[in-house]
Coordinates of all heavy atoms in Angstrom, one line a residue:
W1 N 0.8 -1.2 0.0 CA 0.0 0.0 0.0 C 0.9 1.3 0.0 O 0.4 2.3 -0.4 CB -1.0 0.0 1.1 CG -0.4 0.0 2.5 CD1 -0.1 -1.1 3.3 CD2 0.0 1.1 3.3 NE1 0.5 -0.7 4.5 CE2 0.5 0.6 4.5 CE3 0.0 2.5 3.1 CZ2 1.0 1.4 5.5 CZ3 0.5 3.3 4.1 CH2 1.0 2.8 5.3
L2 N 2.1 1.1 0.4 CA 2.9 2.3 0.4 C 3.3 2.8 -1.0 O 3.5 4.0 -1.1 CB 4.2 2.0 1.2 CG 4.1 1.9 2.7 CD1 5.4 1.4 3.3 CD2 3.6 3.2 3.3
E3 N 3.2 2.0 -2.0 CA 3.4 2.4 -3.3 C 2.4 3.4 -3.8 O 2.7 4.2 -4.7 CB 3.4 1.2 -4.3 CG 4.5 0.3 -4.2 CD 4.4 -0.9 -5.2 OE1 4.0 -0.6 -6.3 OE2 4.7 -2.0 -4.8
F4 N 1.2 3.4 -3.2 CA 0.2 4.3 -3.5 C 0.1 5.5 -2.6 O -0.8 6.4 -2.8 CB -1.2 3.6 -3.6 CG -1.1 2.5 -4.6 CD1 -1.0 1.1 -4.2 CD2 -1.2 2.7 -6.0 CE1 -0.9 0.1 -5.1 CE2 -1.2 1.7 -6.9 CZ -1.0 0.4 -6.5
D5 N 0.9 5.6 -1.6 CA 1.0 6.7 -0.7 C 1.5 7.9 -1.5 O 2.6 7.9 -2.0 CB 1.9 6.4 0.5 CG 2.1 7.6 1.4 OD1 1.3 8.6 1.3 OD2 3.0 7.5 2.2
P6 N 0.7 9.0 -1.6 CA 1.2 10.2 -2.4 C 2.5 10.7 -2.0 O 3.3 11.1 -2.8 CB 0.1 11.2 -2.2 CG -1.1 10.4 -1.8 CD -0.6 9.2 -1.1
R7 N 2.8 10.7 -0.7 CA 4.1 11.2 -0.2 C 5.3 10.4 -0.8 O 6.3 10.9 -1.1 CB 4.1 11.2 1.3 CG 5.4 11.4 2.0 CD 5.8 12.9 1.8 NE 7.0 13.2 2.5 CZ 8.3 12.8 2.1 NH1 8.4 12.1 1.1 NH2 9.3 13.2 2.8
R8 N 5.1 9.1 -1.0 CA 6.1 8.3 -1.6 C 6.0 8.2 -3.1 O 7.0 8.2 -3.8 CB 6.0 6.8 -1.0 CG 6.4 6.8 0.4 CD 6.3 5.4 1.0 NE 6.6 5.3 2.4 CZ 7.5 4.6 2.9 NH1 8.2 3.8 2.1 NH2 7.7 4.6 4.2
A9 N 4.8 8.2 -3.6 CA 4.6 8.1 -5.1 C 5.2 9.3 -5.8 O 5.6 9.2 -6.9 CB 3.2 7.9 -5.4
V10 N 5.2 10.5 -5.1 CA 5.7 11.7 -5.8 C 7.2 11.5 -6.1 O 7.7 12.1 -7.1 CB 5.5 12.9 -4.9 CG1 6.3 12.9 -3.7 CG2 5.6 14.2 -5.7
E11 N 7.9 10.7 -5.4 CA 9.3 10.5 -5.7 C 9.5 9.9 -7.0 O 10.3 10.4 -7.8 CB 9.9 9.5 -4.6 CG 9.7 9.9 -3.2 CD 10.7 11.0 -2.8 OE1 11.8 11.0 -3.3 OE2 10.4 11.7 -1.8
S12 N 8.8 8.8 -7.3 CA 9.1 8.1 -8.6 C 8.3 8.6 -9.8 O 8.5 8.2 -10.9 CB 8.7 6.6 -8.4 OG 7.4 6.4 -7.9
H13 N 7.3 9.5 -9.5 CA 6.5 10.1 -10.6 C 6.6 11.6 -10.6 O 5.7 12.3 -11.1 CB 5.0 9.7 -10.4 CG 4.8 8.2 -10.4 ND1 4.9 7.4 -11.5 CD2 4.6 7.3 -9.3 CE1 4.7 6.2 -11.2 NE2 4.5 6.1 -9.9
A14 N 7.7 12.1 -10.2 CA 7.9 13.6 -10.1 C 7.7 14.3 -11.4 O 7.0 15.3 -11.5 CB 9.2 14.0 -9.5
D15 N 8.2 13.7 -12.5 CA 8.0 14.4 -13.8 C 6.5 14.4 -14.2 O 6.1 15.4 -14.8 CB 8.8 13.6 -14.9 CG 10.3 13.8 -14.7 OD1 10.7 14.8 -14.1 OD2 11.1 12.9 -15.2
S16 N 5.8 13.4 -13.9 CA 4.3 13.4 -14.2 C 3.6 14.5 -13.4 O 2.7 15.2 -13.9 CB 3.7 12.1 -13.9 OG 4.3 11.1 -14.8
W17 N 4.0 14.6 -12.1 CA 3.4 15.6 -11.2 C 3.8 17.0 -11.8 O 2.9 17.9 -11.8 CB 3.9 15.5 -9.8 CG 3.3 14.3 -9.1 CD1 3.4 13.0 -9.4 CD2 2.6 14.4 -7.9 NE1 2.8 12.2 -8.4 CE2 2.2 13.1 -7.5 CE3 2.1 15.4 -7.0 CZ2 1.5 12.7 -6.4 CZ3 1.4 15.1 -5.9 CH2 1.1 13.8 -5.6
R18 N 5.0 17.2 -12.2 CA 5.4 18.5 -12.8 C 4.6 18.8 -14.0 O 4.4 20.0 -14.4 CB 6.9 18.5 -13.1 CG 7.7 18.7 -11.9 CD 9.2 19.0 -12.2 NE 10.0 18.7 -11.1 CZ 10.6 17.5 -10.9 NH1 10.5 16.5 -11.7 NH2 11.3 17.3 -9.8
A19 N 4.2 17.9 -14.8 CA 3.5 18.1 -16.1 C 2.0 18.5 -15.9 O 1.4 18.9 -16.8 CB 3.6 16.8 -16.9
L20 N 1.5 18.4 -14.7 CA 0.1 18.7 -14.4 C -0.1 20.2 -14.7 O 0.8 21.1 -14.3 CB -0.2 18.4 -13.0 CG -0.3 17.0 -12.6 CD1 -0.5 16.8 -11.1 CD2 -1.4 16.3 -13.3
E21 N -1.2 20.6 -15.3 CA -1.5 22.0 -15.6 C -1.8 22.7 -14.3 O -1.6 23.9 -14.2 CB -2.7 22.0 -16.5 CG -2.4 21.5 -17.9 CD -1.5 22.5 -18.7 OE1 -1.6 23.7 -18.4 OE2 -0.8 22.0 -19.5
H22 N -2.5 22.0 -13.3 CA -2.9 22.7 -12.1 C -2.9 21.6 -11.0 O -3.6 20.6 -11.2 CB -4.3 23.3 -12.3 CG -4.7 24.1 -11.1 ND1 -4.3 25.4 -10.8 CD2 -5.6 23.7 -10.1 CE1 -4.9 25.8 -9.7 NE2 -5.7 24.8 -9.3
L23 N -2.3 21.9 -9.9 CA -2.3 20.9 -8.8 C -2.7 21.7 -7.5 O -2.0 22.6 -7.0 CB -0.9 20.3 -8.5 CG -0.8 19.4 -7.3 CD1 -1.8 18.2 -7.4 CD2 0.6 18.8 -7.3
H24 N -4.0 21.5 -7.1 CA -4.5 22.2 -6.0 C -4.7 21.2 -4.9 O -5.4 20.2 -5.0 CB -5.9 22.9 -6.3 CG -6.6 23.5 -5.2 ND1 -6.3 24.8 -4.8 CD2 -7.5 23.0 -4.3 CE1 -7.0 25.1 -3.7 NE2 -7.7 24.0 -3.4
L25 N -4.2 21.5 -3.7 CA -4.3 20.6 -2.6 C -4.8 21.5 -1.4 O -4.2 22.5 -1.1 CB -2.9 20.0 -2.2 CG -2.2 19.3 -3.3 CD1 -0.7 19.1 -3.1 CD2 -2.9 18.0 -3.6
E26 N -5.8 21.0 -0.8 CA -6.3 21.7 0.4 C -6.9 20.7 1.4 O -7.2 19.6 1.1 CB -7.3 22.7 0.0 CG -8.7 22.2 -0.4 CD -9.7 23.4 -0.5 OE1 -9.5 24.2 -1.4 OE2 -10.6 23.4 0.3
C27 N -7.0 21.3 2.6 CA -7.5 20.4 3.7 C -7.9 21.4 4.8 O -7.4 22.5 4.9 CB -6.3 19.5 4.2 SG -6.9 18.3 5.4
G28 N -8.8 20.9 5.6 CA -9.3 21.7 6.8 C -8.3 21.5 8.0 O -7.7 20.4 8.2
T29 N -8.1 22.6 8.7 CA -7.2 22.5 9.9 C -7.9 21.7 11.0 O -7.2 21.3 12.0 CB -6.8 23.9 10.4 OG1 -8.0 24.6 10.6 CG2 -6.0 24.6 9.3
S30 N -9.2 21.4 10.9 CA -9.9 20.7 11.9 C -10.4 19.4 11.2 O -11.5 18.9 11.6 CB -11.1 21.5 12.4 OG -10.7 22.6 13.0
D31 N -9.7 18.8 10.3 CA -10.1 17.6 9.6 C -10.3 16.5 10.6 O -9.4 16.2 11.4 CB -9.0 17.2 8.6 CG -9.5 16.1 7.7 OD1 -10.2 16.4 6.7 OD2 -9.3 14.9 8.0
E32 N -11.4 15.8 10.5 CA -11.8 14.7 11.4 C -10.9 13.5 11.2 O -10.8 12.7 12.1 CB -13.2 14.3 11.2 CG -14.3 15.3 11.6 CD -14.5 16.4 10.6 OE1 -13.8 16.5 9.6 OE2 -15.4 17.3 10.9
F33 N -10.2 13.4 10.1 CA -9.3 12.3 9.9 C -7.8 12.7 10.0 O -6.9 12.0 9.7 CB -9.5 11.7 8.5 CG -11.0 11.3 8.3 CD1 -11.8 12.0 7.5 CD2 -11.4 10.1 8.9 CE1 -13.1 11.6 7.3 CE2 -12.8 9.7 8.7 CZ -13.6 10.5 7.9
H34 N -7.6 14.0 10.4 CA -6.3 14.6 10.6 C -5.4 14.5 9.3 O -4.2 14.4 9.4 CB -5.6 13.9 11.7 CG -6.4 13.8 13.0 ND1 -6.7 14.9 13.7 CD2 -7.0 12.8 13.6 CE1 -7.4 14.6 14.8 NE2 -7.7 13.3 14.7
L35 N -6.1 14.7 8.2 CA -5.4 14.7 6.9 C -4.4 15.9 6.7 O -3.5 15.8 5.9 CB -6.4 14.6 5.7 CG -7.3 13.4 5.7 CD1 -8.2 13.5 4.5 CD2 -6.4 12.1 5.6
Q36 N -4.6 16.9 7.5 CA -3.8 18.1 7.3 C -2.3 17.8 7.6 O -1.4 18.4 7.0 CB -4.3 19.3 8.2 CG -4.2 19.1 9.7 CD -5.3 18.4 10.3 OE1 -6.0 17.6 9.8 NE2 -5.6 18.8 11.6
F37 N -2.1 16.8 8.5 CA -0.7 16.5 8.8 C 0.0 15.8 7.7 O 1.2 16.1 7.4 CB -0.6 15.7 10.1 CG -1.3 16.4 11.3 CD1 -2.5 16.0 11.8 CD2 -0.7 17.6 11.7 CE1 -3.1 16.6 12.9 CE2 -1.3 18.3 12.8 CZ -2.5 17.8 13.3
G38 N -0.7 14.9 7.0 CA -0.1 14.2 5.9 C 0.1 15.1 4.7 O 1.0 15.1 4.0
L39 N -0.9 16.0 4.5 CA -0.9 17.0 3.4 C 0.3 17.9 3.6 O 1.0 18.2 2.6 CB -2.2 17.8 3.3 CG -2.2 18.8 2.2 CD1 -2.0 18.1 0.8 CD2 -3.5 19.6 2.2
R40 N 0.6 18.4 4.8 CA 1.7 19.2 5.0 C 3.0 18.5 4.7 O 3.9 19.2 4.1 CB 1.7 19.7 6.5 CG 0.6 20.6 6.8 CD 0.5 20.9 8.3 NE -0.7 21.7 8.6 CZ -1.2 21.8 9.8 NH1 -0.6 21.3 10.8 NH2 -2.3 22.5 10.0
R41 N 3.1 17.3 5.0 CA 4.3 16.5 4.6 C 4.5 16.4 3.1 O 5.6 16.5 2.6 CB 4.3 15.1 5.3 CG 4.5 15.2 6.8 CD 4.6 13.8 7.4 NE 5.8 13.2 7.0 CZ 6.1 11.9 7.1 NH1 5.2 11.1 7.6 NH2 7.3 11.5 6.7
L42 N 3.3 16.1 2.4 CA 3.4 16.0 1.0 C 3.8 17.4 0.4 O 4.6 17.4 -0.5 CB 2.0 15.6 0.5 CG 1.8 15.6 -1.1 CD1 2.8 14.7 -1.7 CD2 0.4 15.3 -1.4
V43 N 3.2 18.5 0.9 CA 3.5 19.8 0.3 C 5.0 20.1 0.5 O 5.7 20.7 -0.3 CB 2.6 20.8 1.0 CG1 3.1 22.2 0.7 CG2 1.2 20.7 0.4
R44 N 5.5 19.7 1.7 CA 7.0 19.9 1.9 C 7.8 19.2 0.9 O 8.8 19.7 0.3 CB 7.3 19.4 3.3 CG 8.3 20.3 4.0 CD 8.6 19.9 5.5 NE 8.1 18.7 6.0 CZ 7.1 18.6 6.9 NH1 6.5 19.7 7.4 NH2 6.7 17.4 7.4
R45 N 7.4 18.0 0.6 CA 8.1 17.2 -0.4 C 8.0 17.8 -1.8 O 8.9 17.8 -2.6 CB 7.7 15.7 -0.4 CG 8.6 14.8 -1.2 CD 10.0 14.8 -0.6 NE 10.9 14.1 -1.5 CZ 12.1 14.5 -1.9 NH1 12.5 15.7 -1.5 NH2 12.8 13.8 -2.7
L46 N 6.8 18.3 -2.2 CA 6.6 18.9 -3.5 C 7.5 20.1 -3.6 O 8.1 20.3 -4.7 CB 5.1 19.3 -3.6 CG 4.1 18.2 -3.7 CD1 2.7 18.8 -3.7 CD2 4.3 17.4 -5.0
K47 N 7.6 20.9 -2.6 CA 8.5 22.0 -2.6 C 10.0 21.6 -2.8 O 10.7 22.2 -3.6 CB 8.4 22.9 -1.3 CG 7.1 23.6 -1.2 CD 7.1 24.4 0.1 CE 5.7 25.1 0.2 NZ 5.6 25.8 1.5
E48 N 10.4 20.5 -2.1 CA 11.8 20.0 -2.3 C 12.0 19.6 -3.7 O 13.1 19.7 -4.2 CB 12.0 18.9 -1.3 CG 12.0 19.3 0.1 CD 12.0 18.1 1.1 OE1 12.0 16.9 0.6 OE2 12.0 18.3 2.3
L49 N 11.0 19.0 -4.3 CA 11.1 18.5 -5.7 C 10.8 19.5 -6.8 O 10.8 19.2 -7.9 CB 10.2 17.2 -5.9 CG 10.6 16.0 -5.1 CD1 9.5 14.9 -5.1 CD2 11.9 15.4 -5.5
E50 N 10.5 20.7 -6.3 CA 10.2 21.8 -7.2 C 9.0 21.5 -8.1 O 9.0 21.8 -9.3 CB 11.4 22.3 -8.0 CG 12.5 22.8 -7.1 CD 13.7 23.2 -7.8 OE1 13.8 23.1 -9.1 OE2 14.7 23.7 -7.1
I51 N 7.9 21.0 -7.5 CA 6.7 20.7 -8.2 C 5.7 21.8 -8.0 O 5.3 22.0 -6.8 CB 6.2 19.3 -7.8 CG1 7.2 18.2 -8.2 CG2 4.8 19.0 -8.4 CD1 6.8 16.8 -7.7
P52 N 5.3 22.5 -9.0 CA 4.4 23.6 -8.8 C 3.0 23.1 -8.3 O 2.5 22.0 -8.7 CB 4.2 24.2 -10.2 CG 5.3 23.6 -11.0 CD 5.7 22.3 -10.4
H53 N 2.5 23.8 -7.3 CA 1.2 23.4 -6.7 C 0.6 24.6 -6.0 O 1.3 25.6 -5.7 CB 1.4 22.3 -5.7 CG 2.3 22.6 -4.6 ND1 3.7 22.7 -4.7 CD2 2.0 23.0 -3.3 CE1 4.2 23.0 -3.5 NE2 3.2 23.2 -2.7
H54 N -0.6 24.5 -5.6 CA -1.3 25.5 -4.8 C -1.8 24.7 -3.5 O -2.5 23.8 -3.6 CB -2.4 26.1 -5.5 CG -3.2 27.1 -4.7 ND1 -2.8 28.4 -4.6 CD2 -4.3 27.0 -3.9 CE1 -3.6 29.1 -3.8 NE2 -4.5 28.2 -3.4
H55 N -1.3 25.2 -2.4 CA -1.7 24.5 -1.1 C -2.5 25.5 -0.3 O -2.1 26.7 -0.1 CB -0.4 24.1 -0.4 CG -0.7 23.6 1.0 ND1 0.0 24.2 2.1 CD2 -1.6 22.8 1.6 CE1 -0.4 23.6 3.2 NE2 -1.4 22.8 2.9
E56 N -3.6 25.0 0.3 CA -4.4 25.9 1.1 C -5.0 25.1 2.2 O -5.4 24.0 2.0 CB -5.5 26.5 0.2 CG -6.2 27.7 0.7 CD -7.1 28.3 -0.3 OE1 -6.8 28.3 -1.5 OE2 -8.1 28.9 0.1
E57 N -5.1 25.7 3.4 CA -5.8 25.1 4.5 C -6.9 26.1 5.0 O -6.7 27.3 5.0 CB -4.8 24.9 5.6 CG -3.8 23.8 5.3 CD -2.9 23.4 6.5 OE1 -3.2 23.7 7.6 OE2 -1.9 22.7 6.2
H58 N -8.0 25.5 5.2 CA -9.1 26.3 5.7 C -9.5 25.9 7.1 O -9.1 24.8 7.6 CB -10.3 26.2 4.7 CG -10.7 24.8 4.4 ND1 -11.5 24.0 5.2 CD2 -10.4 24.0 3.3 CE1 -11.6 22.8 4.7 NE2 -11.0 22.8 3.5
S59 N -10.4 26.6 7.7 CA -10.7 26.4 9.1 C -11.7 25.3 9.4 O -12.0 25.0 10.5 CB -11.1 27.7 9.8 OG -12.3 28.2 9.2
A60 N -12.3 24.7 8.4 CA -13.3 23.7 8.5 C -12.7 22.3 8.7 O -11.5 22.2 8.8 CB -14.2 23.8 7.3
G61 N -13.5 21.4 8.7 CA -13.1 20.0 8.8 C -13.2 19.3 7.4 O -12.9 19.9 6.4
H62 N -13.6 18.0 7.5 CA -13.6 17.2 6.3 C -15.0 17.2 5.6 O -15.1 16.9 4.4 CB -13.3 15.7 6.7 CG -12.9 14.9 5.5 ND1 -11.6 14.8 5.0 CD2 -13.6 14.0 4.8 CE1 -11.6 14.0 4.0 NE2 -12.8 13.5 3.8
F63 N -16.0 17.6 6.4 CA -17.3 17.6 5.9 C -18.0 19.0 5.8 O -17.4 19.9 6.5 CB -18.2 16.7 6.7 CG -17.7 15.3 6.8 CD1 -16.9 14.9 8.0 CD2 -17.8 14.4 5.8 CE1 -16.4 13.6 8.1 CE2 -17.3 13.1 5.9 CZ -16.6 12.7 7.0
K64 N -19.1 19.1 5.1 CA -19.8 20.4 5.0 C -18.9 21.5 4.6 O -18.8 22.6 5.3 CB -20.5 20.7 6.3 CG -21.5 19.6 6.7 CD -22.2 20.0 8.0 CE -23.2 18.8 8.4 NZ -23.8 19.1 9.7
I65 N -18.2 21.3 3.5 CA -17.3 22.3 3.0 C -17.7 22.9 1.6 O -16.9 23.3 0.8 CB -15.8 21.8 2.9 CG1 -15.7 20.5 2.1 CG2 -15.3 21.5 4.3 CD1 -14.3 20.1 1.8
D66 N -19.0 22.9 1.4 CA -19.5 23.4 0.1 C -19.1 24.8 -0.2 O -18.8 25.2 -1.3 CB -21.1 23.3 0.1 CG -21.6 21.9 0.1 OD1 -20.8 21.0 0.0 OD2 -22.8 21.7 0.3
H67 N -18.9 25.6 0.9 CA -18.4 27.0 0.7 C -17.0 27.0 0.1 O -16.7 28.0 -0.5 CB -18.4 27.7 2.1 CG -17.4 27.1 3.0 ND1 -17.7 26.0 3.8 CD2 -16.2 27.5 3.4 CE1 -16.6 25.7 4.5 NE2 -15.7 26.6 4.3
R68 N -16.3 26.0 0.1 CA -15.0 26.0 -0.5 C -15.0 26.0 -2.0 O -14.1 26.4 -2.7 CB -14.2 24.7 -0.1 CG -13.8 24.7 1.4 CD -13.0 25.8 1.8 NE -11.8 25.9 1.0 CZ -11.1 27.0 0.7 NH1 -11.5 28.2 1.2 NH2 -10.0 27.0 0.0
Y69 N -16.1 25.5 -2.6 CA -16.3 25.5 -4.0 C -16.2 27.0 -4.6 O -15.6 27.2 -5.7 CB -17.6 24.9 -4.5 CG -17.8 23.5 -4.1 CD1 -19.0 23.0 -3.6 CD2 -16.7 22.6 -4.3 CE1 -19.1 21.6 -3.3 CE2 -16.8 21.2 -4.0 CZ -18.1 20.8 -3.5 OH -18.2 19.5 -3.2
I70 N -16.7 27.9 -3.8 CA -16.7 29.3 -4.3 C -15.2 29.8 -4.5 O -14.9 30.6 -5.3 CB -17.4 30.2 -3.2 CG1 -18.8 29.6 -3.0 CG2 -17.3 31.7 -3.6 CD1 -19.9 30.4 -3.4
A71 N -14.3 29.3 -3.6 CA -12.9 29.7 -3.7 C -12.2 28.9 -4.8 O -11.3 29.4 -5.5 CB -12.2 29.5 -2.4
V72 N -12.5 27.6 -4.9 CA -11.7 26.8 -5.8 C -12.2 26.8 -7.2 O -11.3 26.7 -8.1 CB -11.7 25.3 -5.2 CG1 -11.0 24.4 -6.1 CG2 -11.1 25.3 -3.8
I73 N -13.4 26.8 -7.5 CA -13.9 26.7 -8.9 C -13.4 27.8 -9.8 O -13.0 27.5 -10.9 CB -15.5 26.6 -8.9 CG1 -15.9 25.2 -8.4 CG2 -16.0 26.9 -10.3 CD1 -17.4 25.0 -8.3
P74 N -13.3 29.1 -9.4 CA -12.7 30.1 -10.3 C -11.3 29.7 -10.7 O -10.9 29.9 -11.8 CB -12.8 31.4 -9.5 CG -13.9 31.1 -8.5 CD -13.9 29.7 -8.2
R75 N -10.5 29.2 -9.7 CA -9.1 28.8 -10.1 C -9.1 27.7 -11.1 O -8.3 27.6 -12.0 CB -8.3 28.5 -8.8 CG -7.9 29.7 -8.1 CD -7.0 29.3 -7.0 NE -7.8 28.6 -6.0 CZ -7.9 29.0 -4.7 NH1 -7.0 29.8 -4.2 NH2 -8.7 28.4 -3.8
L76 N -10.0 26.7 -10.9 CA -10.1 25.6 -11.8 C -10.5 26.0 -13.2 O -9.9 25.6 -14.2 CB -11.1 24.6 -11.2 CG -11.4 23.3 -12.1 CD1 -10.1 22.5 -12.3 CD2 -12.4 22.5 -11.5
M77 N -11.4 26.9 -13.2 CA -11.9 27.4 -14.5 C -10.7 28.2 -15.2 O -10.6 28.0 -16.4 CB -13.1 28.3 -14.4 CG -14.3 27.5 -14.0 SD -15.8 28.6 -13.7 CE -16.0 29.3 -15.3
E78 N -10.0 29.0 -14.5 CA -8.9 29.7 -15.1 C -7.8 28.7 -15.6 O -7.3 28.9 -16.7 CB -8.2 30.6 -14.0 CG -7.1 31.4 -14.5 CD -6.4 32.2 -13.4 OE1 -7.1 32.6 -12.5 OE2 -5.2 32.4 -13.5
S79 N -7.6 27.7 -14.9 CA -6.6 26.7 -15.3 C -7.1 26.0 -16.6 O -6.3 25.7 -17.5 CB -6.4 25.7 -14.2 OG -5.5 24.7 -14.6
L80 N -8.4 25.7 -16.6 CA -8.9 25.0 -17.8 C -8.9 25.8 -19.0 O -8.7 25.3 -20.1 CB -10.4 24.5 -17.5 CG -10.5 23.3 -16.5 CD1 -11.9 23.1 -16.1 CD2 -9.8 22.1 -17.0
T81 N -9.1 27.1 -18.9 CA -9.1 28.0 -20.1 C -7.7 28.2 -20.6 O -7.5 28.5 -21.8 CB -9.7 29.4 -19.7 OG1 -9.0 30.0 -18.7 CG2 -11.2 29.2 -19.4
R82 N -6.7 28.0 -19.7 CA -5.3 28.1 -20.2 C -4.8 26.9 -20.9 O -4.0 26.9 -21.7 CB -4.3 28.4 -19.0 CG -4.3 29.7 -18.4 CD -3.2 29.9 -17.5 NE -3.0 28.8 -16.5 CZ -3.3 28.9 -15.3 NH1 -3.8 30.0 -14.7 NH2 -3.2 27.8 -14.5
A83 N -5.5 25.8 -20.6 CA -5.0 24.5 -21.2 C -5.3 24.3 -22.6 O -6.1 24.9 -23.3 CB -5.7 23.3 -20.4

């Protein structure tokens, strides 16, 4: 299962990650599954490997985050129009 862990997979697939048009990663600081800690480690590794990305943490948890669409969809649309 470790082969599919993003923190480890980024090592062997760094060129593919770099080729992405847009990489948006976000998590709530109150995530019920504590995903923010793993995401922070992944983001640290992305920076070390110089993989462009956008990282954002919001004050919510894992659920009821519909309000996040308002922030993310415009960036996604901008990325799609550039592609």
Side-chain angles (χ1 to χ4, degrees):
W1 62 268
L2 287 175
E3 289 180 40
F4 300 102
D5 174 15
R7 171 66 178 78
R8 291 178 182 238
V10 72
E11 304 281 333
S12 56
H13 301 286
D15 288 337
S16 296
W17 285 61
R18 280 189 202 94
L20 293 172
E21 292 289 329
H22 184 81
L23 177 57
H24 175 86
L25 303 163
E26 74 171 64
C27 191
T29 56
S30 301
D31 190 86
E32 292 81 356
F33 304 106
H34 308 289
L35 297 179
Q36 68 271 34
F37 303 112
L39 181 59
R40 290 172 189 165
R41 291 185 68 195
L42 174 59
V43 166
R44 217 173 13 250
R45 191 64 187 130
L46 291 173
K47 288 178 183 177
E48 292 169 359
L49 295 170
E50 299 179 356
I51 296 173
H53 64 282
H54 179 85
H55 169 233
E56 197 169 329
E57 293 188 13
H58 51 79
S59 60
H62 197 82
F63 304 101
K64 298 180 183 176
I65 56 170
D66 294 350
H67 64 281
R68 294 299 306 150
Y69 297 138
I70 306 248
V72 175
I73 287 178
R75 281 187 290 232
L76 176 61
M77 290 177 62
E78 180 183 330
S79 179
L80 290 172
T81 57
R82 283 192 315 253

